[in-house]
Amino acid sequence: KGVAGELPYVAVGGLVTAVAVPRHIVSFLGGYAFGLELGTALALAATEFGCVLVFFYGRFIGRPLVSERMRERVRRIEDFLAANPFSMTLLIRLLPVGNNFATCLAAGVSRVPARPFLAGSLLGYLPQTFVFALAGSGIEMGGSLRVAFAALFFVVSGAIGIWLYRRYRHDKSLGDDVEKAI
């Protein structure tokens, strides 16, 4: 339905990712509803919109509540991102593990600057957004080859993220749970 379908998708997709629905579901549905190219672009916009909402909720509203309950996670995020917020955020987003909602919230309540965090998130979301939109578009078109490529790209993207994390973390950690997972 053109813009009449695209704008509500981005708005609703952003809102559901802002309330902790996995971004991969939004991406899959974007590929299914809009095809690979447009689905990827719209899912990326929706995911970034959700990231912005959660980040600024944390920054302006949730800081007193969340920083107390998640003090350790906030400290780990600050320590990890402090030296180079853009590159380290990009690295986090490429990892196949982690919680998008918690990461955005922890970054929002921390002292991490908004621009590099949001820009690194946008770029880092792209590979997995593409992968899940590819899978969604393959389901609609009956393309089992697309689904197979999506699975392969997901594994490759995750492997690159893990490799970068191990190479560039410089003795910093996102926590034992992440270390065990990768």
Side-chain angles (χ1 to χ4, degrees), residues 2-180:
V3 174
E6 296 163 2
L7 290 178
Y9 169 81
V10 171
V12 171
L15 291 173
V16 299
T17 59
V19 296
V21 171
R23 61 190 173 92
H24 301 101
I25 293 171
V26 173
S27 300
F28 181 89
L29 293 174
Y32 180 77
F34 300 104
L36 176 60
E37 296 83 9
L38 185 57
T40 298
L42 294 173
L44 188 60
T47 302
E48 185 72 1
F49 177 51
C51 177
V52 167
L53 290 174
V54 174
F55 181 88
F56 285 110
Y57 169 81
R59 182 64 41 105
F60 297 119
I61 299 167
R63 188 174 266 176
L65 301 170
V66 174
S67 61
E68 202 50 46
R69 292 181 184 163
M70 297 177 66
R71 179 175 294 163
E72 183 59 27
R73 178 138 177 122
V74 170
R75 186 193 56 75
R76 282 189 304 211
I77 291 286
E78 278 183 347
D79 290 348
F80 194 82
L81 298 176
N84 195 339
F86 175 82
S87 297
M88 297 311 264
T89 299
L90 176 61
L91 190 153
I92 289 170
R93 297 306 189 190
L94 290 174
L95 293 174
V97 297
N99 183 308
N100 183 52
F101 176 78
T103 301
C104 292
L105 195 55
V109 300
S110 74
R111 292 170 287 157
V112 173
R115 266 191 201 164
F117 177 78
L118 296 173
S121 291
L122 181 66
L123 186 58
Y125 288 147
L126 185 58
Q128 290 183 25
T129 300
F130 172 78
V131 164
F132 282 88
L134 178 64
S137 71
I139 296 298
E140 180 182 68
M141 297 174 193
S144 58
L145 187 58
R146 281 186 180 231
V147 175
F149 276 130
L152 176 66
F153 290 150
F154 180 74
V155 169
V156 169
S157 171
I160 291 169
I162 291 168
W163 177 76
L164 287 171
Y165 178 73
R166 289 182 177 161
R167 183 167 183 192
Y168 294 107
R169 67 184 173 175
H170 302 293
D171 299 322
K172 295 178 181 180
S173 173
L174 291 171
D176 292 337
D177 53 335
V178 173
E179 293 293 328
K180 288 177 187 174

